[in-house]
Structures are given as structure tokens and as C-alpha cells.
Amino acid sequence: MKVAVFSCKPYDKRTLNEFIADKDLEMNFFESRLSEETVSLVKGFDAVSCFVNDDVNAKVIQQLKQQGVNTIALRCAGFNNVDLAAAKQQGVSVFHVPDYSPTSVAEHAVALIMALNRKTHRAYHRVKEGNFALEGLLGFNLEGKTVGCIGTGRIGAAFCHIMKGFGCRVICYDIYPSDTLIEMGCAYVSLNELYQQSDIISLHCPLTESTHHLIDNQSLSKMKDGVMIINTSRGALVHAQEAIDALYSGKIGYLGLDVYEQENKIFFEDMSSHIIQDSVFQLMLTFPNVVVTGHQGYFTDVALNHIAQTTVENLEQSQQTNPQQRRLA
Ligand code: NAI
């Protein structure tokens, strides 16, 4: 089986190569993303492997099918960038990696909370310049604070578990509440109650039509003044311009983002010598109470190995007559 691996960085290549050593799989690695512009590269391949910002729309899927590609193996959990209906219609199987390491993303959400609260990003620069003054670095105790978790699947559950360990009151919203979390002492509330009561809100639901711009003027107006918002899920859960307005007014007191709606133009690349053509993003970076990371929540040793291993398993499974596991379409 010949596989074209898109959005492939050196660390992806290293781990994938480890797992295909004794397999009947040949992989060709492309740094570029899969899109309408690059889909012609798939000529002669049986399968493609993609990541979070590849644009696997209906046109791309049609082209894949025409070129003889019958399998898309995503190297991520989220699949909002793939037109699953089009894949089903064309008979192209789509696989994902649902649970490569929920704790890696949950721990990163907590890292953002800790950095914003104790202002580690600012303290680091002060100390490097010999400035040991504490004025402006005042934090708060997490113990006793109310933390709202929206989406309590694999990552959300791991996040709640950690925040309980800090002694926080954890309240949750999910369309499918988890008995395990209730037993752990988390309380499910309505979305409005979560907005009203939370000191910190962390987003762990997928990007769907109903969660698009979940954090906007309307939801923000229901929240406490100075609320901390953490988004490690998908960028479009947050309306970036309205979040900026809320930062100016003080409604948002702290903003931690590992994802950004327009991230596909900038993330995963070294843009340090370029002028980033996104004034909203540039403005966001100027706030002292905003920490942005470039979609690195998943990026741990354990997660990379799981992603590579599961992707190889998915590709092998796709050759079976009726593969079901981790199949989306
Ligand atoms: P999951 O499928 O285990 O959990 C998602 C949860 O969200 C489910 O419990 C579901 O019922 C709930 N949900 C769905 N629609 C909802 C709504 N409208 N309101 C509230 N809850 C809703 O997914 P998992 O593995 O926990 O991942 C969550 C998200 O994290 C993914 O969709 C992905 O976007 C993001 N992610 C980010 C990564 C990063 O590196 N920053 C890496 C991996 C995933």
C-alpha cells in the first residue's frame, strides 16, 4: 500500500518510520498540506494521511477518488476539516486517531491556566532582564475556584480530573453527561449556569455547527467580569474579534489559546521572518493577559507515538473487507 503523508514534519516522519519498519506500507512524506492545490500529488498512491489543517473538502475527495485513493487516515482526533458526507458518497474510508493521549491536551490546558494566573510568561522575561519586582505578577489560588468545563469527553474528563486535584469546584456542560465525572464530584449544569458561575472556562467540545463561535458577545455577557477562557479545542469555538473587545472591556481577564480560527495560515510553520497578515491575531498577541501557543496541546512523546501507531493500524485495517474501528466514513 502506497501512502502519501501530508502536513508531515520531521518529527512525524521519524515516528511513522519507526512503526512501518516491518509493515507492507510504503510512505512518501510531503511537507505541504492536502488541498485543492496539492491534491495532484496523490497520483499513484492508494491512501493519504492528513492532519488538522489539511483541507479535505468535497472537491479534494472527488479528486482523491479519481486518482485511485480509497483511504484517508487522519493523524488527529478532530475531523471538522473533512467532508465526511462527500467521503461516504465517494466510497472513501476515513479513519482518525480518537484517543492518542487525552492527558497531553488536558495538561496543556492546565499549563495555560497556570501561566496566565501566575504570569509566568511575564516573569520569565523580567528575570532575564534582572527585574525581580513582583508588582503586576499577583496571582490567585486555584483552590476553591469554580472551573467550568464545556465538553467532557476524553480530554475534558482528564482536565476535570486534574482540576479536582487542585481543589477546584468543577462544573460541566455536555450533551452526554458522564457518570464517572459525577461520581468524582463534578456537577453538570446548564450552559448558562456554567457561564454565570465559572471563574475559569475551558473548552473541550468539538467544532460543530452548534459550537461555532460558542464564545461570543452573547455568551461573554453572561460570564463573570475577569473570567479566564481557555481554548485548546478548535479555534472557531471563539469569536476572536469579540474576545478582543471583551479583553478591552475587562470582561475577559485572561485568555489562553492553543488554537485559532485562522491558524491554518500560520501555525506549524516558522513565521518569525514574515509579516503575519492577520491583524486580529497580531492584536491578540499584544495583550499582557493573553497566552497563545501554536496548537501544541497534543505534542508530547506519548501522543506522537500513539498517533503513528494508530495511523499505521488504521491503514492496515482499511485493507480489510469491513473495517469498523476508528472509522468515520
Ligand atoms: P471527545 O469526542 O472524546 O469529547 C468531546 C465531547 O464534547 C463529547 O463528550 C461530546 O458529547 C461533547 N460535545 C459535543 N457537542 C457538544 C456541545 N454542543 N456542547 C457541549 N459538549 C459537546 O473528544 P476529545 O478527544 O475529548 O477532544 C475534544 C476536542 O479537542 C476535539 O474535538 C479537538 O477539536 C480538540 N483537540 C485538540 C488538540 C490540541 O492539540 N490542541 C488535540 C486533540 C484534540
Side-chain angles (χ1 to χ4, degrees), residues 176-191:
Y176 301 109
S178 146
D179 289 340
T180 316
L181 287 185
I182 294 169
E183 278 163 31
M184 201 203 289
C186 302
Y188 279 88
V189 295
S190 70
L191 204 46

Side-chain angles (χ1 to χ4, degrees), residues 77-78 98 100 105 150-156 173-176 204-208 210-211 232-234 258-259 295-298:
Y100 48 83
V105 186
I150 302 181
T152 55
R154 286 165 279 241
I155 296 170
Y173 174 76
D174 194 303
I175 41 181
Y176 301 109
H204 298 290
C205 55
L207 174 62
T208 62
S210 67
T211 60
T232 57
S233 195
R234 283 292 180 267
D258 185 48
V259 285
H295 209 135
Q296 68 174 82
Y298 78 101

Side-chain angles (χ1 to χ4, degrees), residues 26-316:
E26 183 189 326
M27 286 190 169
N28 281 43
F29 302 101
F30 298 101
E31 274 235 23
S32 50
R33 292 181 181 145
L34 178 61
S35 66
E36 287 175 42
E37 287 73 44
T38 60
V39 69
S40 56
L41 290 168
V42 305
K43 201 164 188 259
F45 288 93
D46 308 298
V48 294
S49 174
C50 307
F51 198 48
V52 288
N53 288 322
D54 293 80
D55 188 6
V56 196
N57 63 31
K59 272 191 190 163
V60 169
I61 290 168
Q62 195 185 11
Q63 289 278 322
L64 290 176
K65 188 69 186 177
Q66 278 170 8
Q67 306 271 11
V69 169
N70 287 310
T71 303
I72 300 169
L74 294 169
R75 302 193 304 284
C76 50
F79 45 85
N80 51 287
N81 55 331
V82 183
D83 189 330
L84 290 182
K88 201 165 187 180
Q89 198 193 8
Q90 295 283 346
V92 173
S93 309
V94 182
F95 294 82
H96 71 147
V97 186
D99 51 0
Y100 48 83
S101 174
T103 46
S104 66
V105 186
E107 287 174 11
H108 191 69
V110 178
L112 290 173
I113 292 174
M114 295 300 284
L116 284 162
N117 173 18
R118 307 308 289 266
K119 300 161 182 70
T120 322
H121 54 303
R122 300 182 62 198
Y124 173 80
H125 289 293
R126 280 195 194 186
V127 169
K128 277 202 134 197
E129 289 178 9
N131 176 359
F132 303 100
L134 298 183
E135 187 63 38
L137 299 183
L138 189 67
F140 58 82
N141 282 24
L142 279 169
E143 189 180 19
K145 287 284 180 292
T146 299
V147 176
C149 178
I150 302 181
T152 55
R154 286 165 279 241
I155 296 170
F159 172 79
C160 291
H161 191 75
I162 301 172
M163 297 321 289
K164 285 299 282 181
F166 275 105
C168 296
R169 171 180 172 245
V170 179
I171 56 176
C172 306
Y173 174 76
D174 194 303
I175 41 181
Y176 301 109
S178 146
D179 289 340
T180 316
L181 287 185
I182 294 169
E183 278 163 31
M184 201 203 289
C186 302
Y188 279 88
V189 295
S190 70
L191 204 46
N192 277 344
E193 286 169 319
L194 186 143
Y195 291 149
Q196 284 155 10
Q197 296 174 24
S198 300
D199 300 298
I200 299 169
I201 295 176
S202 195
L203 307 176
H204 298 290
C205 55
L207 174 62
T208 62
E209 264 176 43
S210 67
T211 60
H212 185 259
H213 288 174
L214 187 68
I215 305 301
D216 62 2
N217 280 338
Q218 211 191 351
S219 56
L220 284 161
S221 69
K222 298 172 186 162
M223 296 178 197
K224 288 186 181 182
D225 288 341
V227 65
M228 183 188 291
I229 307 277
I230 304 292
N231 186 13
T232 57
S233 195
R234 283 292 180 267
L237 295 181
V238 174
H239 191 304
Q241 183 57 59
E242 292 178 11
I244 286 176
D245 296 342
L247 282 160
Y248 275 123
S249 72
K251 173 55 83 176
I252 295 182
Y254 313 81
L255 181 63
L257 302 177
D258 185 48
V259 285
Y260 172 62
E261 187 163 6
Q262 308 299 335
E263 70 176 49
N264 62 345
K265 298 188 187 122
I266 40 185
F267 282 10
F268 303 114
E269 304 301 332
D270 180 358
M271 300 292 289
S272 54
S273 306
H274 298 257
I275 306 297
I276 294 173
Q277 304 289 331
D278 183 333
S279 52
V280 173
F281 185 74
Q282 294 285 49
L283 182 54
M284 191 95 80
L285 298 182
T286 64
F287 290 87
N289 52 349
V290 174
V291 172
V292 180
T293 52
H295 209 135
Q296 68 174 82
Y298 78 101
F299 199 56
T300 67
D301 50 355
V302 169
L304 274 193
N305 280 329
H306 265 124
I307 289 171
Q309 185 179 9
T310 311
T311 301
V312 169
E313 279 172 19
N314 285 346
L315 287 163
E316 285 189 306

Side-chain angles (χ1 to χ4, degrees), residues 259 322 328:
V259 285
N322 199 13
L328 297 164

